[in-house]
Amino acid sequence: MSFFGQITEALTLCSQPPVRPVRTAADPPMEPKEALGLLKDGNRRFVDGRPLANRTNAVVRKELVELGQAPHTAIIGCADSRAPLETIFDTMPGDIFVLRNAGNTCTHAEGSMIGSLEFCTGKLGSRLVLVLGHTKCGAVYGATKTFLDAQGVPNKKAGSALQGLLQDLGAVAQQAQQEMGPDADADAIAAHAVRVNVFHTINFLLQFSESIREGVSSGQIQIHGGIYHLETGSVEFLGESPQQSELLQSSLPVPPSMVGSSEADRGTHGVRTGADVAIKSEQALKLLMEGNQRFAAGAPTAVTTSKDMRRALVKCGQAPHSAIVGCADSRVPVDTVFDSMPGDLFVLRNAGNTCTHAEGSIVGSLEFCTGKLGTQLVLVLGHTQCGAVAGATQTYLSGATSKAPGSALEGLLQGLAGVAQKASEDLGPKAEEAAVVAHAVKVNVFNSVNFLLKFSEPLRELVRKGDLDIQGGIYHLETGKVEFLGRSPQHAELLSSKRSVPPSITTGAVRTSKSGPVLPSDALAMLRDGNERFAVGAPVAGKVYQSMREALATVGQAPHTAVVGCADSRVPLETVFDALPGDLFVLRNAGNTCTHAEGSLLGSLEFCTGALNTRLIFVLGHTNCGAIKGATSAFLQSKKQGGAKDLQGKLEGLRRGVRL
């Protein structure tokens, strides 16, 4: 080289900035805030055209090798050649841990992405994660076009990995379209989808990585989003996900594609069979939650059963970890909603997920499942926009419950009307019908849960022993997510129920003189039970057969209660207490009083308690009693006028009951 050339090279070297120090494992971890500041400063230098990180030397490279890396930030970026991350942020080797693919997504690289980030934030000590999208992203724009073109067209199976990627990014495009509104054009939707996709990836990281969630919860790690604008070179920093707090409640430990079979979930044969041990209710609930999270995230793992799996299900029998009482609505396929395999769930379904018109079938089936099959969790699952509950609400609000049902459907809706009434009362008279329906869905879930606890001693006994839990949930059609409601607020109270079978399958034996005497407390309980059946529209009396009538005629009566009631036609006592012939010894007169029937009434009661051995006398008045109203009016009028002796004598008995 000439002397002039040597001088030129020396001057050039002197004019260049010195080589910047590099981060190595010898450096302490960097706070997320400081790391974010470095990224912002680096991008500002890049935009201004004055980068500093453009030289390395042998010393720098040797330090990185011998001391190891300690990047201050992990970045998930797009593979687009126009978005080189180290250049955009003007970083030195050792500064950032870079992960890139088309669309900066976890959709088809979930295990690789999350595993890499867990290594970086755990082993290498990085405390900031940045998910970086960019404008005019080919993957996102392609996914948006694919989604928009496919609207109204049956889904086609992906013919290549690229088609699969674009189809799976369709959820991002769909959300962007919904947020932009019906008038937005394709370019506007795609541009917004870039932003949606950034948070979609962040949410995926939070949802499917236990270690990352723990780091974020403790403040050790922060996950931010950003968009690189190709047009200006600047990065728009978006901050943390709006759903971060919610997603930190996730319980999924690994990405869906990495879920493996184990005895705890898939069973020893790849599916749960009778060869597997029973799963505790807590673990079963966790399996339901995780399965629904996979379904809602669009990442199910349930696979097609093999011949060996089907053979095992036949040979070994079933051992479902959960029993589900769900609605028959075609939009709520229970097995799919929980991403379950054959053998996982024992599913019972009817319109309205109710016991109202299927009580014996539902309760008996659950007693079989929990008793014979060993299932330790029952979930009653309602869903939003339930047609049966909506119909029942309309039936109640229109007053149609007073008419005799003209079909089984009308009977079902009338049976559910009590749910609508409770929901309406909870919300108050000003509530709109849509709000009543939405609340009635929840009321109905607990109504069914309560029914199971109230009318099944086998289920109650398992719950008392800790071998069964009964909970409720609501499937949200809009999101695909199940809202788990837990136990009924009346759980503890209902465990003390003494009822052993549902009302509709109560045996219809009549009482005769061969029946033993009934204790007053038991007789009172029978009255309460009968009245409750009458009040909810589920009476069982009236099924009197020839053999019953013959027994009553030949053997004689032994009523468990003597009832003194009013003669008012609106108060048929046997009906009010849902009683069979032979149950009640009934005495009635206007005002249910002894005033003008004392000898007859007392003599009758002495006969009933003495000769028939009845041990409970129940005196029943009723609201809006005409006799009492008349006596009250006459008494007040006579008091106002000074009192007429003849009227006073006639009403002397009745008015004692209303004198203050």
Side-chain angles (χ1 to χ4, degrees), residues 437-459:
V437 171
H439 183 53
V441 168
K442 184 175 183 178
V443 173
N444 185 46
V445 166
F446 285 128
N447 191 63
S448 292
V449 172
N450 295 345
F451 193 98
L452 300 177
L453 288 168
K454 180 182 284 187
F455 291 110
S456 174
E457 176 57 28
L459 295 181

Side-chain angles (χ1 to χ4, degrees), residues 75-80 83 85 98-105 113 130-134:
I75 302 181
I76 296 179
C78 184
D80 195 301
L85 299 184
V98 175
L99 305 167
R100 295 174 67 178
N101 62 25
N104 47 276
T105 178
M113 288 293 183
L130 177 71
V131 176
L132 186 69
H134 68 90

Side-chain angles (χ1 to χ4, degrees), residues 374-440:
T375 301
Q376 297 193 21
L377 176 66
V378 173
L379 180 73
V380 177
L381 185 68
H383 68 92
T384 57
Q385 309 296 326
C386 179
V389 173
T393 303
Q394 292 170 357
T395 298
Y396 165 71
L397 294 176
S398 67
T401 54
S402 60
K403 299 186 299 183
S407 65
L409 173 59
E410 288 182 5
L412 172 65
L413 298 182
Q414 288 185 9
L416 278 171
V419 166
Q421 180 179 2
K422 174 68 164 57
S424 181
E425 291 170 351
D426 286 348
L427 297 182
K430 296 183 179 180
E432 296 182 356
E433 183 175 324
V436 176
V437 171
H439 183 53

Side-chain angles (χ1 to χ4, degrees), residues 50 66-67 72 76 85 105 241 245 259 263 270 285 314 336 340 385 397 417 421 437 443 485 574 583 612 654:
R50 50 181 183 83
E66 293 182 351
L67 299 179
H72 60 69
I76 296 179
L85 299 184
T105 178
S241 168
S245 297
V259 176
E263 289 190 22
L285 189 63
V314 173
T336 304
S340 62
Q385 309 296 326
L397 294 176
Q421 180 179 2
V437 171
V443 173
L485 303 175
E574 287 87 350
D583 286 345
L612 304 181
L654 280 176

Side-chain angles (χ1 to χ4, degrees), residues 43 61 66 78 82 87 151 173 182 194 214 232 240 331 374 462 487 534 537 541 551 577 591 635:
N43 179 244
R61 290 189 290 272
E66 293 182 351
C78 184
R82 299 168 293 178
T87 304
Q151 288 187 317
V194 169
E214 290 176 352
T232 65
E240 298 174 333
R331 299 167 294 178
L462 288 171
R487 295 174 177 173
F534 166 73
F577 292 111
F635 170 74

Side-chain angles (χ1 to χ4, degrees), residues 16-358:
Q16 291 179 344
V19 175
R20 291 174 57 201
V22 291
R23 279 190 59 80
T24 70
D27 296 305
M30 187 177 291
E31 292 287 335
K33 183 177 180 180
E34 184 180 355
L36 190 63
L38 289 179
L39 294 179
K40 291 179 178 179
D41 290 344
N43 179 244
R44 195 175 299 114
R45 292 194 300 272
F46 168 72
V47 173
D48 293 343
R50 50 181 183 83
L52 298 177
N54 56 3
R55 296 187 66 207
T56 61
N57 58 27
V59 175
V60 166
R61 290 189 290 272
K62 183 178 181 182
E63 287 179 349
L64 288 170
V65 172
E66 293 182 351
L67 299 179
Q69 64 173 318
H72 60 69
T73 303
I75 302 181
I76 296 179
C78 184
D80 195 301
S81 62
R82 299 168 293 178
L85 299 184
E86 290 86 353
T87 304
I88 288 170
F89 293 109
D90 188 29
T91 60
M92 289 288 288
D95 283 347
I96 58 176
F97 189 87
V98 175
L99 305 167
R100 295 174 67 178
N101 62 25
N104 47 276
T105 178
C106 291
T107 305
H108 278 241
E110 49 191 28
S112 170
M113 288 293 183
I114 292 182
S116 299
L117 288 175
E118 289 179 352
F119 168 74
C120 185
T121 56
K123 182 71 173 177
L124 303 181
S126 300
R127 298 182 58 185
L128 177 65
V129 176
L130 177 71
V131 176
L132 186 69
H134 68 90
T135 58
K136 303 296 182 181
C137 178
V140 174
Y141 273 62
T144 302
K145 184 178 186 304
T146 299
F147 167 74
L148 295 175
D149 290 346
Q151 288 187 317
V153 179
N155 292 334
K156 294 188 297 184
K157 187 175 181 179
S160 65
L162 173 59
Q163 289 178 2
L165 172 64
L166 297 181
Q167 286 180 7
D168 283 351
L169 277 172
V172 168
Q174 182 178 20
Q175 181 181 336
Q177 183 192 45
Q178 291 171 347
E179 293 179 359
M180 293 295 291
D183 297 330
D185 60 28
D187 281 345
I189 294 171
H192 183 56
V194 169
R195 183 181 299 261
V196 172
N197 185 48
V198 167
F199 287 120
H200 186 267
T201 298
I202 292 176
N203 294 346
F204 197 98
L205 300 178
L206 290 168
Q207 190 167 27
F208 292 108
S209 174
E210 188 171 4
S211 68
I212 290 177
R213 284 195 302 272
E214 290 176 352
V216 173
S217 296
S218 66
Q220 188 72 15
I221 299 171
Q222 289 185 12
I223 306 179
H224 287 242
I227 296 176
Y228 172 59
H229 291 263
L230 293 176
E231 302 83 354
T232 65
S234 63
V235 171
E236 176 188 359
F237 291 88
L238 303 175
E240 298 174 333
S241 168
Q243 295 178 260
Q244 177 169 292
S245 297
E246 173 190 346
L247 291 166
L248 289 178
Q249 306 305 313
S250 173
S251 60
L252 297 174
V254 294
S257 64
M258 302 177 67
V259 176
S261 297
S262 68
E263 289 190 22
D265 44 31
R266 293 303 187 215
T268 55
H269 296 283
V271 288
R272 281 198 56 77
T273 69
D276 299 305
V277 297
I279 289 181
K280 294 292 184 182
S281 59
E282 298 87 351
Q283 178 63 16
L285 189 63
K286 182 181 178 183
L287 291 175
L288 293 180
M289 290 178 172
E290 292 177 351
N292 178 246
Q293 286 178 340
R294 294 193 300 270
F295 166 75
T301 62
V303 297
T304 304
T305 55
S306 65
K307 184 177 181 180
D308 289 340
M309 291 178 184
R310 292 190 292 273
R311 185 181 294 117
L313 286 168
V314 173
K315 180 180 178 181
C316 301
Q318 62 174 317
H321 62 69
S322 300
I324 312 290
V325 179
C327 184
D329 195 300
S330 62
R331 299 167 294 178
V332 193
V334 173
D335 297 278
T336 304
V337 164
F338 292 110
D339 188 30
S340 62
M341 291 283 288
D344 285 347
L345 305 180
F346 189 89
V347 178
L348 305 166
R349 296 175 67 179
N350 61 30
N353 46 277
T354 178
C355 295
T356 304
H357 281 243

